[in-house]
Amino acid sequence: MNLTAFLDLVGCLGFLLAFVLALRHRRSLGPVPIPFFFAIIVLGFFSTFSGWLIWSGITESLAGFQAYSYILLPVAFFGFFVMIVFHYRHHAQTSRNQVLAAIHAVTERETNPDDPYGQVRDLLGRVSTLLRFDIAAVFSMLREERLELAVHWNVDPDLALEVEAVDSSATLIHALRGEEPLLVARTANFPDPVIQVMDQHGFTSLAIFPLSTRSRPQGLLVLGSREGYHFSAEAVDLLKFLARHLGEVLLNIQLKGDARERQAELERAIQSRQVFLSIISHDLRDPLHLIKGAMLVIHQHLGKSSDQDVLRAVETASAAARRLEKFIGDMIDLANLGSGGIHLEFMPVDAAAEIRAVGEEFRQDADRKGVALRFTLPPRLPPMEVDKGRFHQMIRNVLANAIRFTPGGGEIVLAAETEGENMQVRIADTGEGIPPGELPLIYDLFFRGSGRGQEGSGLGLSIVREVVRLHGGQISAQSTPGKGTVVTITLPRVHLPQ
Amino acid sequence: MIGDFEITDILGFIIILLASGYVFANRRFVPGQLRNPFVLAFAAFAGAILSANVERVFMPALFNLLEHALRSASSFFMAAGCWSLGTGGEKGGKA
Protein backbone atom coordinates (compact mmCIF):
# COMPACT_ATOMS: atom_id res chain seq x y z
CA MET A 1 0.00 0.00 0.00
CA ASN A 2 1.43 3.39 -0.92
CA LEU A 3 1.46 6.40 1.45
CA THR A 4 -1.44 8.16 -0.25
CA ALA A 5 -3.70 5.13 0.10
CA PHE A 6 -2.58 4.74 3.71
CA LEU A 7 -3.52 8.38 4.48
CA ASP A 8 -6.93 7.79 2.94
CA LEU A 9 -7.42 4.69 5.02
CA VAL A 10 -6.55 6.62 8.17
CA GLY A 11 -8.97 9.35 7.03
CA CYS A 12 -11.73 6.73 6.62
CA LEU A 13 -11.14 5.56 10.18
CA GLY A 14 -11.27 9.19 11.35
CA PHE A 15 -14.65 9.76 9.70
CA LEU A 16 -15.97 6.48 11.09
CA LEU A 17 -14.85 7.54 14.53
CA ALA A 18 -16.53 10.94 14.05
CA PHE A 19 -19.72 9.17 12.95
CA VAL A 20 -19.79 6.91 16.02
CA LEU A 21 -19.12 9.84 18.39
CA ALA A 22 -21.70 12.05 16.68
CA LEU A 23 -24.26 9.26 16.96
CA ARG A 24 -23.45 8.76 20.62
CA HIS A 25 -23.62 12.45 21.50
CA ARG A 26 -26.41 13.44 19.14
CA ARG A 27 -28.51 14.71 22.10
CA SER A 28 -25.80 17.21 22.84
CA LEU A 29 -26.14 18.69 19.39
CA GLY A 30 -29.11 20.72 20.60
CA PRO A 31 -30.46 22.94 17.84
CA VAL A 32 -27.56 22.14 15.45
CA PRO A 33 -28.95 20.92 12.09
CA ILE A 34 -28.35 17.18 12.42
CA PRO A 35 -28.88 16.24 8.70
CA PHE A 36 -26.14 18.65 7.62
CA PHE A 37 -23.93 17.38 10.35
CA PHE A 38 -24.21 13.73 9.35
CA ALA A 39 -24.03 14.68 5.65
CA ILE A 40 -20.58 16.16 6.26
CA ILE A 41 -19.36 13.02 7.98
CA VAL A 42 -20.85 10.63 5.43
CA LEU A 43 -19.58 12.69 2.45
CA GLY A 44 -16.17 12.99 4.07
CA PHE A 45 -16.07 9.26 4.60
CA PHE A 46 -17.01 8.38 1.02
CA SER A 47 -14.66 10.98 -0.41
CA THR A 48 -11.78 9.50 1.54
CA PHE A 49 -12.94 5.93 0.98
CA SER A 50 -13.13 6.41 -2.77
CA GLY A 51 -9.63 7.93 -2.63
CA TRP A 52 -8.42 4.84 -0.87
CA LEU A 53 -10.08 2.53 -3.46
CA ILE A 54 -8.47 4.50 -6.30
CA TRP A 55 -4.99 4.88 -4.84
CA SER A 56 -4.78 1.34 -3.61
CA GLY A 57 -5.64 0.21 -7.17
CA ILE A 58 -8.90 -1.57 -6.33
CA THR A 59 -11.07 0.46 -8.68
CA GLU A 60 -10.95 3.62 -10.77
CA SER A 61 -14.72 3.90 -11.17
CA LEU A 62 -15.20 6.11 -8.09
CA ALA A 63 -12.93 8.89 -9.36
CA GLY A 64 -15.99 10.91 -10.42
CA PHE A 65 -17.55 10.66 -6.99
CA GLN A 66 -14.34 11.79 -5.37
CA ALA A 67 -14.24 14.82 -7.65
CA TYR A 68 -17.85 15.74 -6.84
CA SER A 69 -17.26 15.26 -3.13
CA TYR A 70 -14.91 18.23 -3.39
CA ILE A 71 -17.95 20.33 -4.22
CA LEU A 72 -20.53 18.55 -2.07
CA LEU A 73 -18.48 18.54 1.08
CA PRO A 74 -17.84 22.31 1.07
CA VAL A 75 -21.54 22.80 0.33
CA ALA A 76 -22.44 20.65 3.34
CA PHE A 77 -19.98 22.56 5.53
CA PHE A 78 -21.36 25.84 4.24
CA GLY A 79 -24.94 24.74 4.93
CA PHE A 80 -23.98 23.56 8.38
CA PHE A 81 -22.50 26.93 9.34
CA VAL A 82 -25.25 28.94 7.65
CA MET A 83 -27.87 27.06 9.65
CA ILE A 84 -25.97 27.56 12.90
CA VAL A 85 -25.37 31.24 12.30
CA PHE A 86 -28.96 31.80 11.21
CA HIS A 87 -30.33 30.02 14.25
CA TYR A 88 -28.09 31.65 16.82
CA ARG A 89 -28.12 35.13 15.34
CA HIS A 90 -31.87 35.24 15.07
CA HIS A 91 -32.33 33.70 18.50
CA ALA A 92 -29.67 35.90 20.07
CA GLN A 93 -31.16 39.11 18.71
CA THR A 94 -34.68 38.39 19.85
CA SER A 95 -33.63 37.05 23.22
CA ARG A 96 -31.16 39.91 23.77
CA ASN A 97 -33.89 42.49 23.37
CA GLN A 98 -36.27 40.57 25.58
CA VAL A 99 -33.67 39.91 28.28
CA LEU A 100 -32.70 43.59 28.34
CA ALA A 101 -36.37 44.53 28.60
CA ALA A 102 -36.83 42.05 31.47
CA ILE A 103 -33.83 43.44 33.33
CA HIS A 104 -35.09 46.98 32.82
CA ALA A 105 -38.57 46.05 34.06
CA VAL A 106 -37.16 44.47 37.22
CA THR A 107 -34.90 47.44 37.90
CA GLU A 108 -37.82 49.83 37.72
CA ARG A 109 -39.82 47.85 40.25
CA GLU A 110 -39.64 48.70 43.94
CA THR A 111 -38.41 45.87 46.17
CA ASN A 112 -41.18 44.24 48.17
CA PRO A 113 -39.93 44.03 51.79
CA ASP A 114 -41.97 40.85 52.39
CA ASP A 115 -40.41 39.09 49.41
CA PRO A 116 -37.18 40.93 48.57
CA TYR A 117 -36.00 38.23 46.18
CA GLY A 118 -39.31 38.08 44.30
CA GLN A 119 -38.12 40.36 41.52
CA VAL A 120 -34.90 38.37 41.11
CA ARG A 121 -36.92 35.15 40.87
CA ASP A 122 -39.12 36.70 38.16
CA LEU A 123 -36.06 37.84 36.25
CA LEU A 124 -34.45 34.39 36.47
CA GLY A 125 -37.65 32.81 35.19
CA ARG A 126 -37.98 35.18 32.25
CA VAL A 127 -34.34 34.99 31.20
CA SER A 128 -34.24 31.20 31.56
CA THR A 129 -37.32 30.85 29.39
CA LEU A 130 -35.90 33.17 26.75
CA LEU A 131 -32.51 31.51 26.65
CA ARG A 132 -33.98 28.00 26.90
CA PHE A 133 -32.61 26.99 30.26
CA ASP A 134 -34.63 24.66 32.46
CA ILE A 135 -33.54 25.98 35.85
CA ALA A 136 -31.81 29.03 37.25
CA ALA A 137 -30.47 29.67 40.72
CA VAL A 138 -28.47 32.25 42.59
CA PHE A 139 -26.17 30.88 45.27
CA SER A 140 -24.53 32.82 48.01
CA MET A 141 -21.39 31.44 49.54
CA LEU A 142 -21.48 30.90 53.28
CA ARG A 143 -18.61 30.47 55.68
CA GLU A 144 -16.50 27.34 55.35
CA GLU A 145 -17.14 27.48 51.61
CA ARG A 146 -20.68 26.09 51.77
CA LEU A 147 -23.34 27.11 49.32
CA GLU A 148 -26.71 28.55 50.16
CA LEU A 149 -29.49 28.80 47.62
CA ALA A 150 -30.52 32.45 47.88
CA VAL A 151 -33.17 32.45 45.17
CA HIS A 152 -34.10 30.08 42.38
CA TRP A 153 -36.48 29.44 39.55
CA ASN A 154 -37.88 25.98 38.81
CA VAL A 155 -35.38 24.16 41.04
CA ASP A 156 -36.65 20.96 42.61
CA PRO A 157 -36.47 21.15 46.46
CA ASP A 158 -34.62 17.81 46.61
CA LEU A 159 -31.97 19.12 44.23
CA ALA A 160 -31.62 22.29 46.32
CA LEU A 161 -31.13 20.24 49.49
CA GLU A 162 -28.59 17.95 47.86
CA VAL A 163 -26.59 20.87 46.48
CA GLU A 164 -26.59 22.66 49.82
CA ALA A 165 -25.48 19.46 51.55
CA VAL A 166 -22.26 19.34 49.49
CA ASP A 167 -19.35 20.24 51.79
CA SER A 168 -17.23 22.08 49.32
CA SER A 169 -17.19 22.56 45.58
CA ALA A 170 -13.77 23.56 44.31
CA THR A 171 -15.20 24.37 40.88
CA LEU A 172 -17.88 26.71 42.19
CA ILE A 173 -15.54 28.39 44.65
CA HIS A 174 -13.08 28.93 41.85
CA ALA A 175 -15.86 30.36 39.68
CA LEU A 176 -17.01 32.61 42.53
CA ARG A 177 -13.58 34.12 42.93
CA GLY A 178 -12.93 34.45 39.23
CA GLU A 179 -14.28 36.90 36.73
CA GLU A 180 -15.00 34.61 33.80
CA PRO A 181 -17.92 32.21 33.56
CA LEU A 182 -17.59 28.46 33.67
CA LEU A 183 -19.49 26.83 30.84
CA VAL A 184 -20.07 23.12 31.23
CA ALA A 185 -21.50 21.79 27.99
CA ARG A 186 -21.59 18.25 29.40
CA THR A 187 -21.93 17.51 33.10
CA ALA A 188 -21.25 13.77 32.83
CA ASN A 189 -17.96 12.77 34.52
CA PHE A 190 -17.22 16.39 35.43
CA PRO A 191 -14.96 16.14 38.49
CA ASP A 192 -16.98 18.22 40.94
CA PRO A 193 -19.54 17.08 43.54
CA VAL A 194 -22.08 19.85 42.86
CA ILE A 195 -21.95 19.31 39.12
CA GLN A 196 -22.31 15.58 39.71
CA VAL A 197 -25.48 16.21 41.73
CA MET A 198 -26.82 18.30 38.84
CA ASP A 199 -25.90 15.51 36.43
CA GLN A 200 -27.76 12.95 38.55
CA HIS A 201 -30.85 15.15 38.34
CA GLY A 202 -30.66 15.10 34.55
CA PHE A 203 -28.97 18.42 33.79
CA THR A 204 -26.48 17.91 31.02
CA SER A 205 -25.26 21.49 30.54
CA LEU A 206 -24.53 24.23 33.06
CA ALA A 207 -23.53 27.84 32.89
CA ILE A 208 -21.96 29.28 36.04
CA PHE A 209 -21.40 33.02 36.28
CA PRO A 210 -19.78 34.87 39.19
CA LEU A 211 -21.84 37.73 40.62
CA SER A 212 -19.55 40.39 41.89
CA THR A 213 -19.84 44.06 42.63
CA ARG A 214 -16.99 46.42 43.33
CA SER A 215 -14.58 43.48 43.03
CA ARG A 216 -16.33 41.66 45.88
CA PRO A 217 -17.86 38.25 45.12
CA GLN A 218 -21.58 38.26 45.90
CA GLY A 219 -22.55 34.80 44.75
CA LEU A 220 -23.05 32.64 41.69
CA LEU A 221 -25.64 32.52 38.96
CA VAL A 222 -26.17 28.93 37.83
CA LEU A 223 -28.31 28.03 34.82
CA GLY A 224 -28.98 24.44 33.85
CA SER A 225 -30.30 22.71 30.77
CA ARG A 226 -31.56 19.15 30.44
CA GLU A 227 -30.35 19.06 26.85
CA GLY A 228 -26.97 19.90 25.41
CA TYR A 229 -26.56 23.65 25.39
CA HIS A 230 -24.30 25.45 22.99
CA PHE A 231 -22.87 28.62 24.38
CA SER A 232 -22.54 31.19 21.62
CA ALA A 233 -20.47 34.28 22.34
CA GLU A 234 -23.67 36.31 22.07
CA ALA A 235 -25.49 34.24 24.70
CA VAL A 236 -22.46 34.33 26.98
CA ASP A 237 -22.23 38.14 26.65
CA LEU A 238 -25.90 38.44 27.50
CA LEU A 239 -25.56 36.23 30.56
CA LYS A 240 -22.47 38.16 31.67
CA PHE A 241 -24.50 41.34 31.48
CA LEU A 242 -27.27 39.69 33.49
CA ALA A 243 -24.75 38.45 36.08
CA ARG A 244 -23.27 41.93 36.51
CA HIS A 245 -26.74 43.35 36.93
CA LEU A 246 -27.84 40.63 39.35
CA GLY A 247 -24.77 41.34 41.49
CA GLU A 248 -25.91 44.94 41.89
CA VAL A 249 -29.53 43.94 42.53
CA LEU A 250 -28.51 41.43 45.22
CA LEU A 251 -26.24 43.98 46.89
CA ASN A 252 -29.09 46.49 46.93
CA ILE A 253 -31.48 43.94 48.44
CA GLN A 254 -28.89 43.08 51.08
CA LEU A 255 -28.26 46.74 51.94
CA LYS A 256 -31.98 47.50 52.13
CA GLY A 257 -32.48 44.45 54.38
CA ASP A 258 -29.65 45.61 56.65
CA ALA A 259 -31.10 49.10 56.81
CA ARG A 260 -34.55 47.72 57.71
CA GLU A 261 -32.99 45.55 60.41
CA ARG A 262 -31.08 48.49 61.88
CA GLN A 263 -34.24 50.61 61.79
CA ALA A 264 -36.17 47.90 63.64
CA GLU A 265 -33.37 47.61 66.21
CA LEU A 266 -33.41 51.36 66.70
CA GLU A 267 -37.16 51.39 67.14
CA ARG A 268 -36.92 48.57 69.66
CA ALA A 269 -34.23 50.46 71.56
CA ILE A 270 -36.33 53.64 71.63
CA GLN A 271 -39.35 51.71 72.82
CA SER A 272 -37.32 50.02 75.56
CA ARG A 273 -36.05 53.41 76.66
CA GLN A 274 -39.60 54.77 76.85
CA VAL A 275 -40.77 51.78 78.85
CA PHE A 276 -37.77 52.08 81.15
CA LEU A 277 -38.35 55.80 81.71
CA SER A 278 -42.02 55.27 82.31
CA ILE A 279 -41.57 52.45 84.83
CA ILE A 280 -38.75 54.15 86.71
CA SER A 281 -40.62 57.44 86.87
CA HIS A 282 -43.79 55.89 88.23
CA ASP A 283 -41.86 53.87 90.76
CA LEU A 284 -40.09 57.00 91.94
CA ARG A 285 -43.15 59.21 92.03
CA ASP A 286 -45.30 57.09 94.32
CA PRO A 287 -42.89 57.00 97.30
CA LEU A 288 -42.09 60.66 96.65
CA HIS A 289 -45.74 61.56 97.12
CA LEU A 290 -45.66 59.83 100.48
CA ILE A 291 -42.49 61.75 101.51
CA LYS A 292 -43.99 65.07 100.41
CA GLY A 293 -47.22 64.40 102.29
CA ALA A 294 -45.31 63.39 105.43
CA MET A 295 -43.15 66.55 105.23
CA LEU A 296 -46.27 68.71 105.03
CA VAL A 297 -47.74 67.03 108.12
CA ILE A 298 -44.45 67.47 110.03
CA HIS A 299 -44.24 71.12 108.97
CA GLN A 300 -47.78 71.86 110.14
CA HIS A 301 -47.28 69.93 113.37
CA LEU A 302 -44.03 71.74 114.29
CA GLY A 303 -45.57 75.18 113.80
CA LYS A 304 -43.83 78.43 114.68
CA SER A 305 -42.84 77.38 118.17
CA SER A 306 -40.36 74.79 116.99
CA ASP A 307 -36.67 75.03 116.61
CA GLN A 308 -35.88 77.24 113.56
CA ASP A 309 -33.15 74.83 112.37
CA VAL A 310 -35.56 71.91 112.31
CA LEU A 311 -38.15 74.02 110.56
CA ARG A 312 -35.62 75.10 107.89
CA ALA A 313 -34.55 71.50 107.36
CA VAL A 314 -38.13 70.43 106.82
CA GLU A 315 -38.69 73.28 104.34
CA THR A 316 -35.52 72.33 102.46
CA ALA A 317 -36.64 68.70 102.30
CA SER A 318 -40.08 69.81 101.07
CA ALA A 319 -38.51 71.99 98.34
CA ALA A 320 -36.25 69.13 97.26
CA ALA A 321 -39.26 66.81 97.11
CA ARG A 322 -41.12 69.36 94.93
CA ARG A 323 -38.16 69.65 92.55
CA LEU A 324 -37.88 65.89 92.39
CA GLU A 325 -41.59 65.62 91.71
CA LYS A 326 -41.33 68.16 88.89
CA PHE A 327 -38.38 66.28 87.41
CA ILE A 328 -40.20 62.95 87.55
CA GLY A 329 -43.30 64.58 86.07
CA ASP A 330 -41.18 65.84 83.18
CA MET A 331 -39.66 62.41 82.63
CA ILE A 332 -43.07 60.77 82.51
CA ASP A 333 -44.26 63.49 80.14
CA LEU A 334 -41.31 63.01 77.86
CA ALA A 335 -41.69 59.23 77.89
CA ASN A 336 -45.35 59.58 76.97
CA LEU A 337 -44.65 62.15 74.24
CA GLY A 338 -41.92 59.98 72.71
CA SER A 339 -43.99 56.80 72.72
CA GLY A 340 -47.00 58.51 71.16
CA GLY A 341 -48.99 57.92 74.34
CA ILE A 342 -50.22 61.52 74.34
CA HIS A 343 -53.36 62.53 72.52
CA LEU A 344 -53.55 66.24 71.76
CA GLU A 345 -56.87 68.03 71.90
CA PHE A 346 -56.73 70.76 69.28
CA MET A 347 -59.00 73.74 69.76
CA PRO A 348 -59.03 77.37 68.56
CA VAL A 349 -57.42 79.70 71.09
CA ASP A 350 -56.52 83.36 71.32
CA ALA A 351 -52.73 83.05 71.29
CA ALA A 352 -52.10 86.51 72.70
CA ALA A 353 -54.36 85.89 75.70
CA GLU A 354 -52.80 82.50 76.39
CA ILE A 355 -49.24 83.84 76.17
CA ARG A 356 -50.11 86.71 78.49
CA ALA A 357 -51.77 84.31 80.97
CA VAL A 358 -48.71 82.06 81.12
CA GLY A 359 -46.37 85.06 81.34
CA GLU A 360 -48.31 86.44 84.29
CA GLU A 361 -47.78 83.16 86.15
CA PHE A 362 -44.09 84.06 86.21
CA ARG A 363 -44.58 87.71 87.16
CA GLN A 364 -43.84 87.14 90.84
CA ASP A 365 -40.68 85.15 90.13
CA ALA A 366 -39.48 87.80 87.68
CA ASP A 367 -40.17 90.64 90.12
CA ARG A 368 -38.42 88.79 92.92
CA LYS A 369 -35.35 88.48 90.73
CA GLY A 370 -35.54 92.03 89.40
CA VAL A 371 -36.17 90.96 85.82
CA ALA A 372 -38.58 93.03 83.71
CA LEU A 373 -41.25 90.97 81.95
CA ARG A 374 -42.76 92.61 78.85
CA PHE A 375 -45.26 91.52 76.22
CA THR A 376 -45.25 92.58 72.56
CA LEU A 377 -48.57 91.17 71.43
CA PRO A 378 -50.66 92.69 68.63
CA PRO A 379 -54.18 93.64 69.77
CA ARG A 380 -55.85 91.36 67.23
CA LEU A 381 -54.24 88.05 66.50
CA PRO A 382 -56.27 85.50 64.54
CA PRO A 383 -57.18 82.38 66.52
CA MET A 384 -54.92 79.33 66.20
CA GLU A 385 -55.61 75.65 66.75
CA VAL A 386 -53.45 74.12 69.46
CA ASP A 387 -53.71 71.84 72.45
CA LYS A 388 -54.18 74.52 75.07
CA GLY A 389 -52.47 72.69 77.93
CA ARG A 390 -49.47 71.76 75.77
CA PHE A 391 -49.26 75.29 74.37
CA HIS A 392 -49.00 76.58 77.92
CA GLN A 393 -46.35 73.97 78.61
CA MET A 394 -44.22 75.16 75.66
CA ILE A 395 -44.32 78.78 76.80
CA ARG A 396 -43.88 77.85 80.44
CA ASN A 397 -40.77 75.73 79.88
CA VAL A 398 -39.03 78.28 77.67
CA LEU A 399 -40.00 81.17 79.96
CA ALA A 400 -38.81 79.29 83.07
CA ASN A 401 -35.40 78.87 81.41
CA ALA A 402 -35.31 82.54 80.45
CA ILE A 403 -36.04 83.68 84.00
CA ARG A 404 -33.55 81.18 85.44
CA PHE A 405 -30.70 82.43 83.29
CA THR A 406 -31.45 86.16 83.20
CA PRO A 407 -29.69 88.14 85.91
CA GLY A 408 -31.35 90.95 87.91
CA GLY A 409 -31.85 94.12 85.85
CA GLY A 410 -32.40 92.09 82.73
CA GLU A 411 -35.47 91.90 80.55
CA ILE A 412 -37.64 89.18 79.03
CA VAL A 413 -39.94 89.93 76.10
CA LEU A 414 -42.75 87.63 74.98
CA ALA A 415 -43.88 88.39 71.45
CA ALA A 416 -46.22 86.81 68.91
CA GLU A 417 -47.09 87.53 65.31
CA THR A 418 -48.64 85.81 62.35
CA GLU A 419 -46.52 84.85 59.38
CA GLY A 420 -48.60 83.52 56.51
CA GLU A 421 -50.28 80.33 57.68
CA ASN A 422 -48.10 80.18 60.79
CA MET A 423 -47.93 81.84 64.16
CA GLN A 424 -44.54 82.79 65.57
CA VAL A 425 -44.01 83.03 69.31
CA ARG A 426 -40.72 84.57 70.45
CA ILE A 427 -39.29 84.59 73.95
CA ALA A 428 -36.26 86.85 74.11
CA ASP A 429 -34.12 87.39 77.19
CA THR A 430 -31.04 89.41 78.04
CA GLY A 431 -29.46 86.55 79.95
CA GLU A 432 -26.01 85.05 79.80
CA GLY A 433 -26.64 83.45 76.39
CA ILE A 434 -25.56 80.08 75.07
CA PRO A 435 -22.10 79.37 73.61
CA PRO A 436 -22.36 78.58 69.84
CA GLY A 437 -21.01 75.06 70.35
CA GLU A 438 -23.81 74.24 72.79
CA LEU A 439 -26.67 75.72 70.77
CA PRO A 440 -27.42 72.57 68.71
CA LEU A 441 -27.44 70.48 71.92
CA ILE A 442 -29.97 72.42 73.97
CA TYR A 443 -32.87 70.14 72.96
CA ASP A 444 -30.97 66.97 73.88
CA LEU A 445 -32.20 64.94 76.79
CA PHE A 446 -30.57 65.93 80.11
CA PHE A 447 -28.37 68.53 78.43
CA ARG A 448 -27.23 71.25 80.79
CA GLY A 449 -25.06 74.03 79.51
CA SER A 450 -21.71 74.94 80.99
CA GLY A 451 -21.13 77.81 83.40
CA ARG A 452 -24.63 78.16 84.78
CA GLY A 453 -25.23 78.76 88.39
CA GLN A 454 -28.81 77.51 88.48
CA GLU A 455 -29.19 74.05 87.08
CA GLY A 456 -32.40 72.76 85.55
CA SER A 457 -33.38 69.16 84.89
CA GLY A 458 -32.24 69.24 81.27
CA LEU A 459 -35.68 68.03 80.17
CA GLY A 460 -37.62 71.26 79.60
CA LEU A 461 -36.54 72.03 76.04
CA SER A 462 -36.65 68.33 75.06
CA ILE A 463 -40.31 68.36 76.04
CA VAL A 464 -40.91 71.63 74.18
CA ARG A 465 -39.35 70.22 71.02
CA GLU A 466 -41.55 67.08 71.20
CA VAL A 467 -44.70 69.13 71.81
CA VAL A 468 -43.84 71.52 68.95
CA ARG A 469 -43.23 68.51 66.70
CA LEU A 470 -46.62 67.03 67.60
CA HIS A 471 -48.18 70.36 66.63
CA GLY A 472 -46.42 70.18 63.24
CA GLY A 473 -44.26 73.20 64.07
CA GLN A 474 -40.61 74.08 64.51
CA ILE A 475 -38.45 75.53 67.24
CA SER A 476 -35.22 77.44 66.82
CA ALA A 477 -32.90 79.44 69.05
CA GLN A 478 -30.46 82.26 68.39
CA SER A 479 -28.09 83.31 71.10
CA THR A 480 -25.21 85.70 71.68
CA PRO A 481 -23.15 84.88 74.74
CA GLY A 482 -23.36 87.74 77.22
CA LYS A 483 -26.26 89.42 75.42
CA GLY A 484 -29.13 86.99 75.49
CA THR A 485 -31.15 84.33 73.74
CA VAL A 486 -34.19 84.37 71.48
CA VAL A 487 -36.25 81.19 71.23
CA THR A 488 -38.72 81.16 68.32
CA ILE A 489 -41.58 78.68 68.14
CA THR A 490 -43.38 78.48 64.80
CA LEU A 491 -46.73 76.66 64.77
CA PRO A 492 -49.28 76.22 61.99
CA ARG A 493 -52.38 78.26 62.75
CA VAL A 494 -54.67 75.55 61.48
CA HIS A 495 -54.06 71.98 62.58
CA LEU A 496 -54.03 69.49 59.74
CA PRO A 497 -54.53 65.91 60.96
CA GLN A 498 -51.64 63.67 59.71
CA MET B 1 -11.32 21.00 -17.25
CA ILE B 2 -10.34 24.65 -17.30
CA GLY B 3 -6.78 24.68 -18.46
CA ASP B 4 -5.05 22.27 -16.17
CA PHE B 5 -7.70 22.52 -13.45
CA GLU B 6 -10.68 20.30 -12.67
CA ILE B 7 -13.91 22.30 -12.64
CA THR B 8 -15.04 20.51 -9.47
CA ASP B 9 -11.89 21.53 -7.64
CA ILE B 10 -12.28 25.15 -8.70
CA LEU B 11 -15.95 25.26 -7.72
CA GLY B 12 -15.19 23.58 -4.41
CA PHE B 13 -12.47 26.09 -3.75
CA ILE B 14 -14.77 29.03 -4.50
CA ILE B 15 -17.43 27.60 -2.18
CA ILE B 16 -14.84 27.09 0.52
CA LEU B 17 -13.72 30.72 0.17
CA LEU B 18 -17.29 31.99 0.41
CA ALA B 19 -18.06 29.76 3.37
CA SER B 20 -14.85 30.83 5.14
CA GLY B 21 -15.80 34.48 4.75
CA TYR B 22 -19.27 33.79 6.05
CA VAL B 23 -18.05 31.84 9.08
CA PHE B 24 -15.44 34.47 9.87
CA ALA B 25 -17.92 37.32 9.62
CA ASN B 26 -20.39 35.57 11.93
CA ARG B 27 -17.98 33.76 14.19
CA ARG B 28 -19.44 35.27 17.39
CA PHE B 29 -22.77 33.55 16.69
CA VAL B 30 -21.18 30.12 16.37
CA PRO B 31 -20.95 28.40 19.76
CA GLY B 32 -17.44 27.56 20.90
CA GLN B 33 -17.89 23.79 20.97
CA LEU B 34 -18.88 23.86 17.32
CA ARG B 35 -16.63 26.66 16.20
CA ASN B 36 -13.18 25.49 17.22
CA PRO B 37 -12.88 21.84 16.07
CA PHE B 38 -15.32 22.07 13.18
CA VAL B 39 -13.73 25.18 11.75
CA LEU B 40 -10.40 23.36 11.89
CA ALA B 41 -11.96 20.43 10.01
CA PHE B 42 -13.36 22.90 7.53
CA ALA B 43 -9.94 24.56 7.10
CA ALA B 44 -8.19 21.23 6.64
CA PHE B 45 -10.65 20.23 3.97
CA ALA B 46 -10.18 23.59 2.23
CA GLY B 47 -6.46 22.91 2.28
CA ALA B 48 -7.08 19.51 0.69
CA ILE B 49 -9.03 21.10 -2.18
CA LEU B 50 -6.36 23.75 -2.64
CA SER B 51 -3.71 21.07 -2.76
CA ALA B 52 -5.76 19.14 -5.32
CA ASN B 53 -5.74 22.28 -7.48
CA VAL B 54 -2.07 23.00 -7.04
CA GLU B 55 -0.96 19.42 -7.69
CA ARG B 56 -2.14 19.67 -11.29
CA VAL B 57 0.40 22.37 -12.14
CA PHE B 58 3.12 22.22 -9.51
CA MET B 59 4.94 19.42 -7.66
CA PRO B 60 2.16 16.88 -8.18
CA ALA B 61 3.61 14.17 -5.92
CA LEU B 62 4.00 16.48 -2.92
CA PHE B 63 0.64 18.22 -3.23
CA ASN B 64 -1.16 14.96 -3.89
CA LEU B 65 0.24 13.68 -0.63
CA LEU B 66 -0.69 16.93 1.10
CA GLU B 67 -4.22 16.70 -0.27
CA HIS B 68 -4.75 13.26 1.20
CA ALA B 69 -3.05 14.18 4.46
CA LEU B 70 -5.26 17.24 4.93
CA ARG B 71 -8.43 15.34 4.06
CA SER B 72 -7.45 12.72 6.56
CA ALA B 73 -6.69 15.43 9.14
CA SER B 74 -10.13 16.95 8.60
CA SER B 75 -11.68 13.60 9.58
CA PHE B 76 -9.88 13.71 12.92
CA PHE B 77 -10.88 17.30 13.54
CA MET B 78 -14.46 16.20 12.93
CA ALA B 79 -14.00 13.33 15.39
CA ALA B 80 -12.47 15.76 17.92
CA GLY B 81 -15.47 18.05 17.51
CA CYS B 82 -17.85 15.19 18.18
CA TRP B 83 -15.76 14.14 21.16
CA SER B 84 -15.94 17.67 22.61
CA LEU B 85 -19.73 17.51 22.32
CA GLY B 86 -19.58 14.49 24.61
CA THR B 87 -17.08 15.64 27.20
CA GLY B 88 -18.07 19.17 26.52
CA GLY B 89 -16.38 21.16 29.32
CA GLU B 90 -15.68 24.44 27.68
CA LYS B 91 -14.33 26.85 30.19
CA GLY B 92 -14.77 30.51 29.67
CA GLY B 93 -11.94 31.27 32.00
CA LYS B 94 -8.95 29.55 33.41
CA ALA B 95 -9.88 26.25 35.03
Side-chain angles (χ1 to χ4, degrees), chain A residues 25 53 89 108 143 184 191 213 218 330 348 355 365 379 403 480:
Chain A
H25 302 308
L53 289 176
R89 186 154 72 175
E108 292 297 300
R143 283 181 192 167
V184 182
T213 47
Q218 293 287 324
D330 283 351
I355 292 167
D365 289 345
I403 287 177
T480 311

Side-chain angles (χ1 to χ4, degrees), chain A residues 36 43 48 57 99 139 158 232 246 249 265 283 315 330 445 494:
Chain A
F36 275 99
L43 277 170
T48 320
V99 167
F139 287 97
D158 291 343
S232 68
L246 271 179
V249 169
E265 271 175 24
D283 285 355
E315 280 172 358
D330 283 351
L445 213 53
V494 178

Side-chain angles (χ1 to χ4, degrees), chain B residues 22-53:
Chain B
Y22 184 77
V23 171
F24 184 77
N26 295 288
R27 63 194 177 283
R28 65 182 281 102
F29 295 105
V30 182
Q33 304 98 300
L34 299 174
R35 188 173 56 231
N36 302 334
F38 291 107
V39 166
L40 280 175
F42 183 72
F45 203 81
I49 297 176
L50 190 62
S51 301
N53 275 303

Side-chain angles (χ1 to χ4, degrees), chain A residues 4 7-8 11 15 25 29 32 37 47 55 66 70 73 77 88-89 174 181 183 185-186 229 233-234 237, chain B residues 8-9 12 22 26 28-29 31 33-34 38 42 45 64 67-68 71-72 75-76 82 85-86 88 90 92 94:
Chain A
T4 316
L7 284 171
D8 280 339
F15 278 115
H25 302 308
L29 284 167
V32 172
F37 192 69
S47 172
W55 285 93
Q66 199 195 13
Y70 275 17
L73 204 52
F77 260 121
Y88 280 103
R89 186 154 72 175
H174 183 84
L183 308 173
R186 185 95 178 163
Y229 196 93
E234 191 74 13
D237 280 353
Chain B
T8 49
D9 290 353
Y22 184 77
N26 295 288
R28 65 182 281 102
F29 295 105
Q33 304 98 300
L34 299 174
F38 291 107
F42 183 72
F45 203 81
N64 182 44
E67 174 202 349
H68 289 257
R71 191 167 56 185
S72 178
S75 75
F76 284 94
C82 296
L85 287 176
E90 185 210 348
K94 289 175 185 173

Side-chain angles (χ1 to χ4, degrees), chain A residues 33 95 104 363:
Chain A
S95 53
H104 182 70
R363 176 72 69 189

Side-chain angles (χ1 to χ4, degrees), chain B residues 50-95:
Chain B
L50 190 62
S51 301
N53 275 303
V54 173
E55 76 185 28
R56 299 184 197 287
V57 290
F58 184 66
M59 295 174 74
L62 178 67
F63 279 97
N64 182 44
L65 202 62
L66 195 62
E67 174 202 349
H68 289 257
L70 285 171
R71 191 167 56 185
S72 178
S74 80
S75 75
F76 284 94
F77 285 128
M78 284 296 289
C82 296
W83 173 260
S84 83
L85 287 176
T87 55
E90 185 210 348
K91 294 185 180 179
K94 289 175 185 173

